[in-house]
Amino acid sequence: MTSPDYLSQGIDLSGIEVIENDLLFIARARLEVENQAKRLLEQGIETQNPTQVGTALQVFYNLGTLKVTITCVVDGYCTSLEENINNALDIKVLTQPSQTVVRGGPGRAAMPTPGNTAAFRAALWTNMEKLMDQICSACVQVQHLQKVLSKKRDPVTHVCFIDELAKDGQSDILSTFWTAVTQTLASRFQTATDSSMFLKQAFEGEYPKLLRLYNDLWKRIQQYSENIQRNFNTNGSTEHFAELQQIDDTQDIFMQKKQDSDPEIALKDSLQPYEAAYLSKSLSRLFDPINLVFPPGGRNPPSADELDGIIKTIASELNVAAVDANLSLAVSKNVAKTIQLYGVKAEQLLSTQGDASQVIGPLTEGQRRNVTVVNSLYRLHQSILKVVSNQSAFPEASEQTISTALKTIHDLMGNAVQPLLNSVGDSIEAIIITMHQEDFSGSLPSSGKPDVPCSLYMKELQGFIARVMNDYFRHFECYDFVYESTEAIAQRAIELFIRNASLLRPLGEGGKMRLAADFAQMELAVAPLCRRVSDLGKSYRLLRSFRPMLFQTSEHIANSPAVGDIIPFSTVIQFLFTRAPPELKSPFQRAEWTIARYSRWLDDHPSEKDRLVLIRSAVEAYVQVVRSREGKEFAPVYPIMVQLLQKAMSTIQ
């Protein structure tokens, strides 16, 4: 039918009756064929029938109007959707069913009356759901058209129809259509919300609902993309349409994202203004209850009911944001800021005066307030952990964001109790070091048992620890947290006890018996500081392993498997000084230090190598003393100490 047009170009055939009648017949026939092809194309696209679509496209290809027809079809979808978007957002249409339209002056905007806002919003969301259906339907139909174009070939020339369109740069009609739709969405939404405060408030206030509609639309489109290949060849008669080959998804923008464009992001770009406004209001909703319960000049943390209100707000914000992983992450960042704000407000309530760390008298007002602040932080910490655990399919990034913020709360709790812990630790050390004021040089009584079950310093230590746990730490609700802190004190107490016990000189047989009793009582002394003494790990094994050495020979001690493993070499060699004559001075005696100063030096030098070097210098000084007085032999314990020193130094090289 294109031949007569080609033959008559540039030739005036008017007036020739036979030819005019033929041309008129041909024109009418062509019009009839075009109309039938258009109906077939519309029907094929609507029913997703590739055979019908392919047949219609073949007709338009033969007529030489393929490009024009495809452009008209795609433009028609774009125009129709633009009209659908305008109708969905038409404030007059939205407000009309729920109220009588009041005629006002020129330019007066239609808006819902206060009592009909709910009806207005219900109508809006019904329209939005309908709009998403319309967009999905149009997109699916254009997608189907693109698939047929990409595979249909002319049976004579074998030209692929999509290649024919590519000559004019129209090969990716789906991408062109999607760009037009997303740009129209963005511009029409912007225009509509700029001119209607009610639309703006609805989209900003109920943004998660709008986002969910968009996500559902995207999922439906993707689902179609996944199904189309499976269903494509089952629709229509492939028997009569063999030139329509098996399709692939290389040209499907919903399956293969391009580097320079993401169709999902393009779709959601129209939502950015509403997301930003929603997140801003979300942060305000989270901050408001905290600012309310921490008034300027206030001295007390929130009550249990006030804290519950804060937690409910946090849970509500996270639950509403659960419709989308990215929104969930954004709201989780707001929750993290909320947790940090709570921490800052609570920290301002903490007492940092001297009375906050005293351990002499009863609980002071400052200490009582610090306890309530720590308990409040603990309840916040635990409640938010519970909220997070109750979230279904909570994104890992969101959980990590909140966990990081909760760590600051845990750290703040630690900082709040640290001054008190330091005071308790200092007092324990001061009590333990008084063992050197007692006499351990005595011989064994005739009864074979020590006169008292334990030493005076041990009684004082037991009483002090029991008192501080009862007076100060029992008020904390966070038992696990308290034990984490006090167990460290217990471990330190055992370390100091072993250190000072190893420095006792002289140590008689009666002193050994009393010191052995002190070892047993030490377990009872630190028991209140932990759930079980055995939980203290290495410190507990150190205490248990050292006690038998009080009564073992030096040779036996040197060969003990515990030495160097459980008990450091430096501690064992330090203990052997007690069995040496006075001229073999302990390291602190040779340096003319007090025991307290020597203990501080050991704290400052935790390296076993540093400690062994100091001990070796004391042993070498003894050698010089013996040689200077021309002594013939060394003390029996000396070679054992040298042997242990050599063994120790060889293990740390």
Side-chain angles (χ1 to χ4, degrees):
M1 290 186 182
T2 59
S3 299
D5 292 338
Y6 175 75
L7 292 172
S8 62
Q9 284 180 0
I11 303 173
D12 184 8
L13 299 177
S14 59
I16 304 175
E17 188 176 341
V18 176
I19 295 178
E20 278 189 346
N21 289 338
D22 287 345
L23 288 174
L24 183 60
F25 172 77
I26 291 170
R28 287 174 178 168
R30 177 189 177 101
L31 184 61
E32 178 63 25
V33 170
E34 282 184 341
N35 288 336
Q36 288 184 16
K38 283 180 182 177
R39 286 194 294 272
L40 186 63
L41 181 61
E42 289 172 1
Q43 183 180 343
I45 292 176
E46 189 174 335
T47 60
Q48 303 284 287
N49 189 318
T51 303
Q52 290 180 339
V53 174
T55 302
L57 292 177
Q58 182 68 59
V59 172
F60 291 120
Y61 177 80
N62 291 340
L63 293 174
T65 58
L66 181 64
K67 298 173 188 175
V68 175
T69 302
I70 296 301
T71 300
C72 288
V73 170
V74 174
D75 288 348
Y77 282 121
C78 292
T79 302
S80 177
L81 283 180
E82 185 171 357
E83 188 177 331
N84 293 337
I85 294 169
N86 289 335
N87 290 338
L89 301 177
D90 189 335
I91 193 72
K92 292 180 181 178
V93 174
L94 286 167
T95 53
Q96 198 161 2
S98 59
Q99 63 179 59
T100 304
V101 178
V102 180
R103 293 192 175 276
R108 177 165 178 170
M111 57 182 67
T113 58
N116 287 328
T117 301
F120 158 75
R121 290 208 171 179
L124 172 63
W125 292 117
T126 299
N127 279 10
M128 291 304 300
E129 289 176 4
K130 183 180 177 182
L131 176 61
M132 295 301 123
D133 290 341
Q134 291 164 337
I135 293 173
C136 183
S137 176
C139 185
V140 162
Q141 291 177 17
V142 174
Q143 201 171 356
H144 184 83
L145 178 60
Q146 168 110 4
K147 292 292 185 185
V148 178
L149 283 166
S150 64
K151 289 300 166 183
K152 182 71 174 75
R153 293 179 181 274
D154 179 62
V156 178
T157 64
H158 302 294
V159 172
C160 184
F161 286 1
I162 203 74
D163 294 337
E164 189 69 18
L165 296 178
K167 294 176 182 178
D168 291 337
Q170 297 179 0
S171 62
D172 198 349
I173 62 168
L174 182 58
S175 180
T176 303
F177 166 77
W178 189 249
T179 300
V181 170
T182 52
Q183 288 177 349
T184 302
L185 275 171
S187 63
R188 295 303 174 191
F189 270 54
Q190 177 85 36
T191 303
T193 52
D194 284 348
S195 59
S196 170
M197 183 57 66
F198 283 89
L199 274 177
K200 183 180 174 70
Q201 289 174 345
F203 286 160
E204 289 178 356
E206 297 184 77
Y207 170 73
K209 185 182 288 188
L210 181 61
L211 180 59
R212 180 178 56 78
L213 290 176
Y214 271 59
N215 283 340
D216 289 346
L217 169 63
W218 178 252
K219 286 176 186 174
R220 287 159 67 189
I221 292 172
Q222 280 201 310
Q223 185 67 44
Y224 175 77
S225 296
E226 293 169 1
N227 291 341
I228 190 172
Q229 181 153 353
R230 182 173 64 252
N231 298 334
F232 197 84
N233 293 320
T234 62
N235 291 337
S237 175
T238 55
E239 183 180 323
H240 298 98
F241 201 44
E243 67 271 18
L244 187 63
Q245 304 164 20
Q246 182 72 16
I247 67 165
D248 60 30
D249 57 13
T250 55
Q251 286 188 304
D252 190 335
I253 62 169
F254 304 117
M255 299 296 289
Q256 299 286 331
K257 296 179 182 178
K258 298 180 180 178
Q259 289 184 344
D260 57 343
S261 64
D262 185 325
E264 184 179 9
I265 292 176
L267 174 65
K268 294 182 179 178
D269 273 348
S270 59
L271 302 181
Q272 284 185 347
Y274 316 117
E275 180 178 90
Y278 176 80
L279 290 174
S280 175
K281 291 177 181 177
S282 168
L283 190 61
S284 295
R285 288 193 293 271
L286 289 164
F287 275 14
D288 287 347
I290 292 180
N291 289 324
L292 196 63
V293 299
F294 284 100
R299 295 176 61 82
N300 296 312
S303 66
D305 288 342
E306 289 171 334
L307 186 59
D308 284 345
I310 293 170
I311 297 302
K312 285 178 182 176
T313 303
I314 290 173
S316 174
E317 293 298 316
L318 289 174
N319 289 336
V320 173
V323 298
D324 181 81
N326 290 328
L327 181 62
S328 175
L329 178 57
V331 170
S332 294
K333 289 178 180 177
N334 280 354
V335 171
K337 293 175 185 175
T338 306
I339 294 169
Q340 290 164 350
L341 176 65
Y342 192 100
V344 169
K345 297 279 189 182
E347 187 175 17
Q348 293 170 352
L349 300 180
L350 291 171
S351 172
T352 56
Q353 305 299 319
D355 69 332
S357 59
Q358 67 85 29
V359 288
I360 300 172
L363 209 64
T364 64
E365 180 58 35
Q367 288 175 320
R368 197 176 302 278
R369 186 164 72 251
N370 286 358
V371 168
T372 60
V373 169
V374 170
N375 285 340
S376 177
L377 291 169
Y378 172 71
R379 286 196 291 268
L380 175 82
H381 188 280
Q382 295 303 109
S383 299
I384 292 179
L385 280 179
K386 185 176 180 181
V387 167
V388 170
S389 67
N390 289 337
Q391 294 293 311
S392 58
F394 200 47
E396 186 178 345
S398 302
E399 187 171 349
Q400 184 59 45
T401 298
I402 294 177
S403 296
T404 301
L406 287 177
K407 186 179 183 304
T408 65
I409 296 298
H410 189 274
D411 292 344
L412 178 57
M413 291 167 61
N415 294 338
V417 300
Q418 197 56 50
L420 179 62
L421 294 170
N422 290 343
S423 291
V424 171
D426 291 345
S427 298
I428 287 175
E429 182 169 7
I431 293 171
I432 289 175
I433 208 167
T434 60
M435 73 164 65
H436 298 284
Q437 298 172 9
E438 299 190 32
D439 184 8
F440 285 88
S441 63
S443 56
L444 196 63
S446 56
S447 64
K449 295 181 179 180
D451 298 332
V452 289
C454 67
S455 305
L456 293 176
Y457 76 89
M458 185 55 68
K459 287 183 180 178
E460 184 183 356
L461 181 64
Q462 290 177 342
F464 173 76
I465 290 176
R467 181 175 65 81
V468 296
M469 289 303 292
N470 184 66
D471 289 358
Y472 306 120
F473 292 107
R474 74 178 175 87
H475 302 287
F476 290 101
E477 297 173 3
C478 39
Y479 302 116
D480 290 341
F481 171 76
V482 168
Y483 278 134
E484 284 175 18
S485 305
T486 56
E487 280 178 3
I489 293 179
Q491 290 168 335
R492 168 72 174 166
I494 291 174
E495 179 189 340
L496 289 170
F497 173 70
I498 298 292
R499 175 186 297 174
N500 283 276
S502 69
L503 292 173
L504 285 172
R505 293 184 74 173
L507 184 61
E509 290 302 314
K512 288 180 183 179
M513 290 293 291
R514 186 149 57 91
L515 189 57
D518 291 344
F519 268 83
Q521 292 296 323
M522 186 64 185
E523 291 191 31
L524 298 177
V526 299
L529 296 170
C530 49
R531 297 178 187 83
R532 294 180 300 275
V533 181
S534 57
D535 290 342
L536 299 178
K538 187 175 181 180
S539 298
Y540 173 71
R541 294 194 299 274
L542 175 65
L543 186 67
R544 283 292 181 102
S545 300
F546 195 92
R547 185 174 183 240
M549 290 187 177
L550 296 174
F551 307 102
Q552 291 172 353
T553 64
S554 300
E555 291 82 358
H556 192 161
I557 291 173
N559 294 318
S560 170
V563 177
D565 178 24
I566 300 173
I567 311 171
F569 282 105
S570 58
T571 303
V572 173
I573 300 171
Q574 193 170 262
F575 172 62
L576 292 179
F577 277 96
T578 64
R579 303 184 175 192
E583 59 184 353
L584 179 45
K585 294 181 178 181
S586 296
F588 73 90
Q589 293 173 327
R590 178 176 172 272
E592 297 182 350
W593 292 344
T594 62
I595 290 178
R597 182 179 174 184
Y598 181 49
S599 185
R600 286 196 300 272
W601 185 91
L602 292 172
D603 287 336
D604 294 338
H605 297 79
S607 164
E608 184 73 347
K609 183 176 181 179
D610 290 347
R611 296 179 176 187
L612 290 170
V613 168
L614 185 68
I615 291 172
R616 185 173 62 187
S617 64
V619 173
E620 289 172 348
Y622 165 69
V623 174
Q624 296 301 321
V625 169
V626 173
R627 286 176 178 169
S628 65
R629 63 173 173 77
E630 297 182 352
K632 300 297 183 184
E633 57 184 22
F634 296 107
V637 77
Y638 167 75
I640 297 171
M641 295 172 73
V642 171
Q643 174 194 341
L644 278 174
L645 267 171
Q646 290 172 343
K647 185 177 179 182
M649 296 302 284
S650 67
T651 60
I652 61 174
Q653 291 300 326

